[in-house]
Coordinates of all heavy atoms in Angstrom, one line a residue:
G178 N 4.1 1.9 -25.0 CA 2.7 2.1 -24.7 C 2.6 3.2 -23.6 O 3.5 3.6 -23.0
V179 N 1.3 3.6 -23.4 CA 1.0 4.5 -22.4 C 0.4 3.8 -21.3 O -0.5 2.9 -21.5 CB 0.0 5.6 -22.9 CG1 -0.4 6.6 -21.8 CG2 0.7 6.4 -24.1
G180 N 0.8 4.1 -20.1 CA 0.2 3.4 -18.9 C 0.4 4.2 -17.7 O 1.0 5.3 -17.7
S181 N 0.0 3.7 -16.6 CA 0.1 4.4 -15.3 C 0.6 3.4 -14.3 O 0.4 2.2 -14.3 CB -1.3 4.9 -14.8 OG -1.8 5.8 -15.7
L182 N 1.4 4.0 -13.4 CA 1.9 3.2 -12.2 C 1.6 4.0 -10.9 O 1.5 5.2 -10.9 CB 3.4 3.1 -12.3 CG 4.0 2.2 -13.3 CD1 5.6 2.3 -13.3 CD2 3.7 0.7 -13.1
I183 N 1.3 3.2 -9.9 CA 1.2 3.8 -8.6 C 2.5 3.3 -7.9 O 2.9 2.2 -7.9 CB 0.0 3.2 -7.8 CG1 -1.3 3.7 -8.4 CG2 0.1 3.6 -6.3 CD1 -2.5 3.1 -7.7
G184 N 3.2 4.3 -7.2 CA 4.3 4.0 -6.4 C 4.1 4.3 -5.0 O 3.9 5.5 -4.7
L185 N 4.0 3.3 -4.1 CA 3.7 3.6 -2.7 C 5.0 3.2 -2.0 O 5.5 2.1 -2.1 CB 2.6 2.7 -2.2 CG 2.2 2.9 -0.8 CD1 1.7 4.3 -0.5 CD2 1.2 1.9 -0.4
H186 N 5.5 4.2 -1.2 CA 6.7 4.0 -0.5 C 6.5 4.4 1.0 O 5.9 5.4 1.2 CB 7.9 4.8 -1.1 CG 8.2 4.4 -2.5 ND1 8.8 3.3 -2.9 CD2 7.8 5.1 -3.6 CE1 8.9 3.3 -4.2 NE2 8.2 4.3 -4.7
F187 N 6.9 3.6 1.8 CA 6.8 3.9 3.3 C 8.1 4.7 3.6 O 9.1 4.6 3.0 CB 6.7 2.6 4.1 CG 5.5 1.9 3.8 CD1 5.4 0.9 2.9 CD2 4.3 2.2 4.5 CE1 4.2 0.2 2.6 CE2 3.1 1.6 4.2 CZ 3.1 0.6 3.3
A188 N 7.9 5.5 4.7 CA 9.0 6.4 5.1 C 10.3 5.7 5.3 O 10.3 4.5 5.7 CB 8.6 7.2 6.3
D189 N 11.4 6.4 5.1 CA 12.7 5.8 5.4 C 12.9 5.7 6.9 O 13.1 6.7 7.6 CB 13.7 6.8 4.8 CG 15.1 6.2 4.7 OD1 15.2 4.9 4.9 OD2 16.1 6.9 4.6
C190 N 12.8 4.5 7.3 CA 13.0 4.2 8.8 C 13.6 2.8 8.9 O 13.8 2.1 7.9 CB 11.6 4.3 9.5 SG 10.4 3.1 8.9
E191 N 13.9 2.4 10.1 CA 14.6 1.2 10.4 C 13.8 0.0 9.9 O 14.3 -1.0 9.5 CB 14.8 1.0 11.9 CG 15.9 1.9 12.4 CD 16.1 1.7 13.9 OE1 15.6 0.7 14.5 OE2 16.7 2.6 14.5
T192 N 12.4 0.1 9.9 CA 11.6 -1.1 9.6 C 11.0 -1.0 8.2 O 10.2 -1.8 7.8 CB 10.4 -1.2 10.6 OG1 9.7 0.0 10.6 CG2 10.9 -1.5 12.0
Q193 N 11.5 -0.1 7.4 CA 10.9 0.2 6.0 C 10.9 -1.1 5.2 O 9.9 -1.4 4.6 CB 11.7 1.3 5.3 CG 11.2 1.5 3.9 CD 12.0 2.5 3.2 OE1 12.9 3.2 3.7 NE2 11.7 2.7 1.9
E194 N 12.0 -1.8 5.1 CA 12.0 -3.0 4.3 C 11.1 -4.1 4.7 O 10.3 -4.7 3.9 CB 13.5 -3.6 4.2 CG 13.6 -4.8 3.3 CD 15.0 -5.3 3.1 OE1 16.0 -4.6 3.6 OE2 15.2 -6.4 2.6
A195 N 11.0 -4.3 6.0 CA 10.1 -5.2 6.6 C 8.6 -4.9 6.3 O 7.8 -5.7 6.0 CB 10.3 -5.4 8.1
I196 N 8.3 -3.6 6.5 CA 6.9 -3.1 6.2 C 6.6 -3.3 4.8 O 5.5 -3.7 4.4 CB 6.8 -1.6 6.7 CG1 6.9 -1.5 8.2 CG2 5.4 -1.1 6.2 CD1 7.0 -0.1 8.7
E197 N 7.5 -2.9 3.9 CA 7.2 -3.1 2.4 C 7.0 -4.5 2.0 O 6.2 -4.8 1.2 CB 8.3 -2.4 1.6 CG 8.3 -0.9 1.7 CD 9.4 -0.2 1.1 OE1 10.4 -0.8 0.7 OE2 9.4 1.1 1.0
N198 N 7.8 -5.4 2.6 CA 7.7 -6.8 2.3 C 6.3 -7.4 2.8 O 5.7 -8.1 2.2 CB 8.8 -7.7 2.9 CG 10.1 -7.5 2.2 OD1 10.1 -7.1 1.0 ND2 11.2 -7.7 2.9
L199 N 6.0 -6.9 4.0 CA 4.7 -7.3 4.6 C 3.5 -6.8 3.7 O 2.6 -7.5 3.4 CB 4.6 -6.8 6.0 CG 3.3 -7.2 6.8 CD1 3.2 -8.7 6.9 CD2 3.3 -6.6 8.2
F200 N 3.6 -5.6 3.3 CA 2.6 -5.0 2.5 C 2.5 -5.7 1.2 O 1.4 -6.1 0.7 CB 2.9 -3.5 2.2 CG 1.9 -2.8 1.4 CD1 0.7 -2.4 1.9 CD2 2.2 -2.4 0.1 CE1 -0.3 -1.8 1.2 CE2 1.2 -1.8 -0.7 CZ 0.0 -1.4 -0.2
H201 N 3.6 -6.0 0.5 CA 3.6 -6.8 -0.7 C 2.9 -8.1 -0.6 O 2.0 -8.4 -1.4 CB 5.1 -7.0 -1.1 CG 5.3 -8.1 -2.1 ND1 5.1 -7.9 -3.4 CD2 5.8 -9.4 -2.0 CE1 5.3 -9.1 -4.1 NE2 5.8 -9.9 -3.2
L202 N 3.2 -8.9 0.5 CA 2.6 -10.2 0.7 C 1.1 -10.1 1.0 O 0.3 -10.8 0.5 CB 3.3 -10.9 1.8 CG 4.8 -11.3 1.4 CD1 5.5 -11.9 2.6 CD2 4.8 -12.3 0.2
E203 N 0.7 -9.1 1.9 CA -0.7 -9.0 2.2 C -1.5 -8.5 1.1 O -2.7 -8.9 0.9 CB -0.8 -8.0 3.4 CG -0.3 -8.7 4.7 CD -0.8 -8.1 6.0 OE1 -1.8 -7.4 6.0 OE2 -0.2 -8.4 7.0
M204 N -1.0 -7.6 0.2 CA -1.8 -7.2 -1.0 C -2.0 -8.4 -1.9 O -3.0 -8.5 -2.5 CB -1.1 -6.0 -1.7 CG -1.1 -4.7 -0.8 SD -2.7 -4.2 -0.4 CE -3.3 -3.5 -1.9
I205 N -1.0 -9.2 -2.1 CA -1.1 -10.4 -2.9 C -2.2 -11.3 -2.4 O -3.1 -11.8 -3.1 CB 0.2 -11.2 -3.1 CG1 1.2 -10.4 -4.0 CG2 0.0 -12.6 -3.6 CD1 2.5 -11.0 -4.1
E206 N -2.2 -11.4 -1.0 CA -3.3 -12.2 -0.4 C -4.6 -11.7 -0.7 O -5.6 -12.4 -0.7 CB -3.0 -12.3 1.1 CG -3.9 -13.1 1.9 CD -3.6 -13.2 3.4 OE1 -2.5 -13.8 3.7 OE2 -4.3 -12.5 4.2
R207 N -4.7 -10.4 -0.9 CA -6.0 -9.7 -1.1 C -6.3 -9.6 -2.6 O -7.3 -9.0 -3.0 CB -6.1 -8.4 -0.5 CG -6.1 -8.4 1.0 CD -5.9 -7.1 1.6 NE -6.2 -7.1 3.1 CZ -5.3 -7.5 4.0 NH1 -4.1 -7.9 3.6 NH2 -5.6 -7.5 5.3
G208 N -5.5 -10.2 -3.5 CA -5.7 -10.2 -4.9 C -5.1 -9.1 -5.7 O -5.5 -9.0 -6.9
F209 N -4.2 -8.4 -5.2 CA -3.5 -7.3 -5.9 C -2.0 -7.5 -5.9 O -1.4 -7.7 -4.9 CB -3.8 -5.9 -5.2 CG -5.2 -5.6 -5.2 CD1 -6.0 -5.8 -4.1 CD2 -5.8 -5.0 -6.3 CE1 -7.3 -5.5 -4.0 CE2 -7.2 -4.7 -6.2 CZ -7.9 -4.9 -5.1
Y210 N -1.5 -7.6 -7.2 CA 0.0 -7.8 -7.3 C 0.7 -6.5 -7.2 O 0.7 -5.7 -8.1 CB 0.4 -8.5 -8.6 CG 1.9 -8.7 -8.5 CD1 2.4 -9.8 -7.8 CD2 2.7 -7.9 -9.2 CE1 3.8 -9.9 -7.7 CE2 4.1 -8.0 -9.1 CZ 4.6 -9.1 -8.3 OH 6.0 -9.2 -8.2
F211 N 1.2 -6.3 -6.0 CA 2.0 -5.1 -5.7 C 3.5 -5.5 -5.6 O 3.8 -6.4 -4.8 CB 1.5 -4.5 -4.4 CG 1.4 -3.0 -4.3 CD1 0.2 -2.4 -4.4 CD2 2.5 -2.2 -4.1 CE1 0.1 -1.0 -4.3 CE2 2.4 -0.9 -4.1 CZ 1.2 -0.3 -4.2
S212 N 4.3 -4.9 -6.4 CA 5.7 -5.4 -6.4 C 6.4 -5.1 -5.0 O 5.9 -4.2 -4.3 CB 6.5 -4.7 -7.5 OG 6.8 -3.4 -7.2
R213 N 7.4 -5.8 -4.7 CA 8.2 -5.6 -3.5 C 8.7 -4.1 -3.4 O 8.9 -3.6 -2.4 CB 9.3 -6.6 -3.3 CG 8.8 -7.9 -2.9 CD 10.0 -8.8 -2.5 NE 9.5 -10.2 -2.3 CZ 9.0 -10.6 -1.1 NH1 8.9 -9.8 -0.1 NH2 8.6 -11.8 -1.0
R214 N 9.0 -3.6 -4.6 CA 9.5 -2.2 -4.7 C 8.4 -1.1 -4.5 O 8.7 0.0 -4.5 CB 10.2 -2.0 -6.0 CG 11.5 -2.8 -6.1 CD 12.3 -2.6 -7.4 NE 11.6 -1.6 -8.3 CZ 12.1 -1.3 -9.5 NH1 13.1 -1.9 -9.9 NH2 11.5 -0.4 -10.2
G215 N 7.2 -1.6 -4.4 CA 6.1 -0.6 -4.1 C 5.3 -0.1 -5.3 O 4.7 0.9 -5.3
Y216 N 5.4 -0.8 -6.4 CA 4.7 -0.4 -7.7 C 3.6 -1.4 -8.0 O 3.7 -2.6 -7.8 CB 5.7 -0.4 -8.8 CG 6.7 0.7 -8.7 CD1 8.0 0.4 -8.4 CD2 6.4 2.0 -8.8 CE1 9.0 1.3 -8.2 CE2 7.4 3.0 -8.7 CZ 8.7 2.6 -8.3 OH 9.6 3.6 -8.2
I217 N 2.5 -0.8 -8.6 CA 1.4 -1.5 -9.2 C 1.0 -0.8 -10.4 O 1.0 0.4 -10.5 CB 0.2 -1.7 -8.2 CG1 -0.8 -2.7 -8.7 CG2 -0.4 -0.4 -7.8 CD1 -1.8 -3.1 -7.7
A218 N 0.7 -1.6 -11.5 CA 0.3 -1.0 -12.8 C -1.2 -0.9 -12.8 O -1.9 -1.7 -12.3 CB 0.8 -1.9 -13.9
L219 N -1.6 0.2 -13.4 CA -3.0 0.4 -13.7 C -3.3 0.2 -15.2 O -2.4 0.4 -16.0 CB -3.4 1.9 -13.3 CG -3.2 2.3 -11.9 CD1 -3.5 3.7 -11.7 CD2 -3.9 1.4 -10.9
S220 N -4.5 -0.2 -15.5 CA -4.8 -0.4 -16.9 C -6.2 0.3 -17.2 O -7.0 0.5 -16.3 CB -4.8 -1.8 -17.3 OG -5.8 -2.5 -16.6
L221 N -6.4 0.5 -18.5 CA -7.7 1.2 -18.8 C -8.9 0.4 -18.4 O -9.9 1.0 -18.1 CB -7.7 1.4 -20.3 CG -6.7 2.5 -20.8 CD1 -6.7 2.6 -22.3 CD2 -7.0 3.8 -20.2
P222 N -8.9 -0.9 -18.4 CA -10.1 -1.6 -18.0 C -10.4 -1.6 -16.5 O -11.3 -2.2 -16.0 CB -9.9 -3.1 -18.4 CG -8.7 -3.1 -19.3 CD -8.0 -1.8 -19.0
T223 N -9.6 -0.9 -15.7 CA -9.8 -0.8 -14.3 C -11.1 -0.1 -14.0 O -11.4 1.0 -14.5 CB -8.6 0.0 -13.6 OG1 -7.4 -0.7 -13.9 CG2 -8.8 0.0 -12.1
T224 N -12.0 -0.8 -13.3 CA -13.3 -0.3 -13.0 C -13.3 0.4 -11.6 O -12.4 0.3 -10.8 CB -14.3 -1.4 -12.9 OG1 -14.0 -2.3 -11.8 CG2 -14.3 -2.3 -14.2
E225 N -14.4 1.1 -11.4 CA -14.6 1.8 -10.1 C -14.6 0.8 -9.0 O -14.1 1.0 -7.9 CB -15.8 2.6 -10.1 CG -15.9 3.5 -8.8 CD -17.1 4.5 -8.9 OE1 -17.5 4.9 -10.0 OE2 -17.5 4.9 -7.9
E226 N -15.2 -0.4 -9.2 CA -15.2 -1.5 -8.3 C -13.8 -1.9 -7.9 O -13.5 -2.2 -6.8 CB -16.0 -2.6 -8.8 CG -16.2 -3.8 -7.8 CD -17.1 -4.9 -8.4 OE1 -18.3 -4.8 -8.2 OE2 -16.5 -5.8 -9.0
D227 N -12.9 -2.1 -9.0 CA -11.5 -2.4 -8.8 C -10.8 -1.4 -7.9 O -10.1 -1.8 -6.9 CB -10.8 -2.5 -10.1 CG -11.3 -3.6 -11.0 OD1 -11.7 -4.6 -10.5 OD2 -11.2 -3.4 -12.2
C228 N -11.1 -0.1 -8.2 CA -10.4 0.9 -7.4 C -10.9 0.9 -5.9 O -10.1 1.1 -5.0 CB -10.7 2.3 -8.0 SG -9.9 2.5 -9.6
D229 N -12.2 0.7 -5.7 CA -12.7 0.6 -4.4 C -12.2 -0.6 -3.6 O -11.8 -0.5 -2.4 CB -14.3 0.5 -4.4 CG -14.9 1.8 -4.8 OD1 -14.3 2.9 -4.8 OD2 -16.1 1.7 -5.2
A230 N -12.0 -1.7 -4.3 CA -11.5 -2.9 -3.6 C -10.0 -2.7 -3.3 O -9.6 -3.1 -2.2 CB -11.6 -4.1 -4.6
F231 N -9.3 -2.0 -4.2 CA -7.9 -1.7 -3.9 C -7.7 -0.8 -2.7 O -6.9 -1.0 -1.8 CB -7.2 -1.1 -5.1 CG -5.8 -0.7 -4.9 CD1 -4.8 -1.7 -4.8 CD2 -5.4 0.6 -4.8 CE1 -3.5 -1.3 -4.6 CE2 -4.1 1.0 -4.6 CZ -3.1 0.0 -4.5
A232 N -8.5 0.3 -2.7 CA -8.5 1.2 -1.6 C -8.9 0.6 -0.3 O -8.3 0.8 0.8 CB -9.4 2.4 -1.8
S233 N -9.8 -0.3 -0.3 CA -10.2 -1.1 0.9 C -9.1 -2.0 1.4 O -8.8 -2.1 2.6 CB -11.5 -1.9 0.6 OG -11.8 -2.7 1.7
A234 N -8.4 -2.6 0.4 CA -7.3 -3.5 0.8 C -6.1 -2.7 1.5 O -5.6 -3.1 2.5 CB -6.8 -4.3 -0.4
V235 N -5.8 -1.6 0.9 CA -4.8 -0.7 1.5 C -5.2 -0.2 2.8 O -4.5 -0.2 3.8 CB -4.4 0.5 0.6 CG1 -3.4 1.4 1.2 CG2 -3.8 -0.1 -0.8
G236 N -6.5 0.2 3.0 CA -7.0 0.7 4.2 C -7.0 -0.4 5.3 O -6.6 -0.1 6.5
E237 N -7.3 -1.6 4.9 CA -7.2 -2.8 5.9 C -5.8 -3.0 6.3 O -5.6 -3.3 7.5 CB -7.8 -4.0 5.2 CG -7.9 -5.2 6.1 CD -8.9 -5.1 7.3 OE1 -9.6 -4.1 7.4 OE2 -8.9 -6.0 8.1
F238 N -4.9 -2.9 5.4 CA -3.4 -3.1 5.7 C -3.1 -2.0 6.8 O -2.4 -2.3 7.8 CB -2.5 -3.0 4.5 CG -1.1 -3.0 4.9 CD1 -0.4 -4.2 5.1 CD2 -0.4 -1.8 5.0 CE1 0.9 -4.2 5.5 CE2 1.0 -1.8 5.3 CZ 1.6 -3.0 5.6
L239 N -3.4 -0.8 6.5 CA -3.1 0.3 7.4 C -3.8 0.1 8.8 O -3.2 0.4 9.8 CB -3.4 1.7 6.8 CG -2.6 2.1 5.6 CD1 -3.2 3.4 5.0 CD2 -1.1 2.2 6.0
R240 N -5.0 -0.4 8.8 CA -5.7 -0.6 10.0 C -5.0 -1.7 10.8 O -4.8 -1.6 12.0 CB -7.2 -1.0 9.8 CG -8.0 -1.1 11.0 CD -9.4 -1.6 10.8 NE -9.4 -3.0 10.3 CZ -9.3 -4.1 11.2 NH1 -9.1 -3.9 12.4 NH2 -9.4 -5.3 10.7
L241 N -4.6 -2.8 10.2 CA -4.0 -3.9 10.8 C -2.5 -3.7 11.2 O -2.0 -4.1 12.2 CB -4.1 -5.2 10.0 CG -5.5 -5.7 9.8 CD1 -5.5 -6.9 8.8 CD2 -6.1 -6.2 11.1
R242 N -1.8 -3.0 10.3 CA -0.3 -2.9 10.4 C 0.2 -1.5 10.6 O 1.4 -1.3 10.7 CB 0.3 -3.5 9.2 CG -0.1 -4.9 8.8 CD 0.2 -5.9 9.9 NE -0.2 -7.2 9.3 CZ -0.4 -8.3 10.1 NH1 -0.2 -8.2 11.4 NH2 -0.8 -9.4 9.6
G243 N -0.7 -0.5 10.7 CA -0.3 0.9 10.7 C 0.6 1.2 12.0 O 1.4 2.1 11.9
S244 N 0.4 0.4 13.0 CA 1.2 0.7 14.2 C 2.7 0.3 14.0 O 3.5 0.8 14.8 CB 0.7 -0.1 15.4 OG 0.8 -1.5 15.1
L245 N 3.0 -0.4 12.9 CA 4.4 -0.7 12.6 C 5.1 0.4 12.0 O 6.3 0.5 11.9 CB 4.4 -1.9 11.7 CG 3.8 -3.2 12.2 CD1 3.8 -4.3 11.1 CD2 4.6 -3.7 13.4
I246 N 4.4 1.4 11.4 CA 4.9 2.5 10.7 C 5.2 3.6 11.8 O 4.2 4.0 12.5 CB 4.0 3.0 9.6 CG1 3.7 1.9 8.6 CG2 4.6 4.2 8.9 CD1 2.6 2.2 7.7
P247 N 6.4 4.1 11.9 CA 6.7 5.1 12.9 C 5.7 6.3 12.7 O 5.5 6.8 11.6 CB 8.1 5.6 12.6 CG 8.7 4.3 12.0 CD 7.6 3.7 11.2
R248 N 5.2 6.8 13.8 CA 4.1 7.8 13.8 C 4.5 9.1 13.1 O 3.7 9.6 12.3 CB 3.7 8.2 15.2 CG 2.5 9.1 15.3 CD 1.8 9.0 16.6 NE 0.5 9.7 16.6 CZ -0.6 9.4 16.0 NH1 -0.6 8.3 15.2 NH2 -1.7 10.0 16.1
D249 N 5.8 9.5 13.2 CA 6.2 10.7 12.5 C 6.3 10.6 11.0 O 6.5 11.6 10.3 CB 7.5 11.3 13.2 CG 8.6 10.3 13.0 OD1 8.4 9.1 13.1 OD2 9.8 10.8 13.0
H250 N 6.2 9.4 10.5 CA 6.3 9.1 9.1 C 4.9 8.9 8.5 O 4.8 8.7 7.3 CB 7.2 7.9 8.8 CG 8.6 8.2 9.1 ND1 9.2 7.8 10.3 CD2 9.5 8.8 8.4 CE1 10.4 8.2 10.3 NE2 10.7 8.8 9.1
R251 N 3.8 8.8 9.2 CA 2.5 8.6 8.6 C 2.0 9.8 8.0 O 2.3 11.0 8.4 CB 1.5 8.2 9.7 CG 1.9 6.9 10.4 CD 0.8 6.5 11.4 NE 1.3 5.4 12.2 CZ 0.7 5.0 13.3 NH1 -0.4 5.6 13.7 NH2 1.3 4.0 14.0
Q252 N 1.2 9.6 6.9 CA 0.7 10.8 6.2 C -0.8 10.8 6.4 O -1.6 9.9 5.9 CB 1.0 10.6 4.7 CG 2.4 10.7 4.4 CD 2.7 10.6 2.9 OE1 1.8 10.7 2.1 NE2 3.9 10.5 2.5
D253 N -1.3 11.8 7.2 CA -2.7 11.9 7.5 C -3.5 12.0 6.2 O -4.7 11.5 6.2 CB -3.0 13.1 8.4 CG -2.4 12.8 9.8 OD1 -2.2 11.6 10.2 OD2 -2.3 13.7 10.6
K254 N -3.0 12.7 5.2 CA -3.7 12.8 4.0 C -4.1 11.5 3.4 O -5.2 11.3 2.9 CB -2.9 13.7 3.0 CG -3.7 14.0 1.7 CD -2.8 14.9 0.8 CE -3.6 15.2 -0.5 NZ -2.8 16.0 -1.4
L255 N -3.1 10.6 3.3 CA -3.4 9.2 2.8 C -4.4 8.5 3.6 O -5.3 7.9 3.1 CB -2.1 8.4 2.8 CG -2.2 7.0 2.3 CD1 -2.7 6.9 0.9 CD2 -0.9 6.2 2.5
R256 N -4.4 8.6 4.9 CA -5.3 7.9 5.8 C -6.7 8.5 5.5 O -7.7 7.7 5.6 CB -4.9 8.1 7.2 CG -3.5 7.4 7.5 CD -3.1 7.5 8.9 NE -3.9 6.6 9.6 CZ -4.1 6.6 10.9 NH1 -3.4 7.5 11.6 NH2 -4.8 5.8 11.5
R257 N -6.9 9.8 5.3 CA -8.2 10.4 5.0 C -8.8 9.9 3.7 O -9.9 9.6 3.6 CB -8.1 11.9 4.9 CG -8.0 12.5 6.3 CD -8.3 14.0 6.2 NE -7.4 14.7 5.3 CZ -6.2 15.3 5.7 NH1 -5.9 15.2 7.0 NH2 -5.5 15.9 4.8
V258 N -7.9 9.7 2.7 CA -8.4 9.2 1.4 C -8.9 7.8 1.5 O -9.9 7.4 0.9 CB -7.2 9.2 0.3 CG1 -7.6 8.5 -0.9 CG2 -6.8 10.7 0.0
L259 N -8.2 6.9 2.3 CA -8.6 5.5 2.4 C -9.7 5.4 3.5 O -10.4 4.5 3.5 CB -7.4 4.7 2.7 CG -6.3 4.8 1.7 CD1 -5.1 4.0 2.2 CD2 -6.8 4.2 0.4

C-alpha cells in the first residue's frame, strides 16, 4: 500500500537514547503512538484537527523537555513550525 511516515530523530548526542525514550512515552501519554525509533504513521483519514493536536503535543514536549537537547543540536526551523 501507499502511506506516509514521519521520522523524528534527535541529534546524535550522549543523551539521544534517553530523549527519544522520553519523547516516545510522553507522546503516548498525549494519545499519539510514536515508536521508540522515532516513527509515526500517517493515514488518509488524518484531519486538520489531528495534525494540530499532534503539533501541539510535540511543541509541549519541546517546551517541557527542550533543555535536555544540547543547544547546538536544536533546529530553529522545527521550533518555528511548532
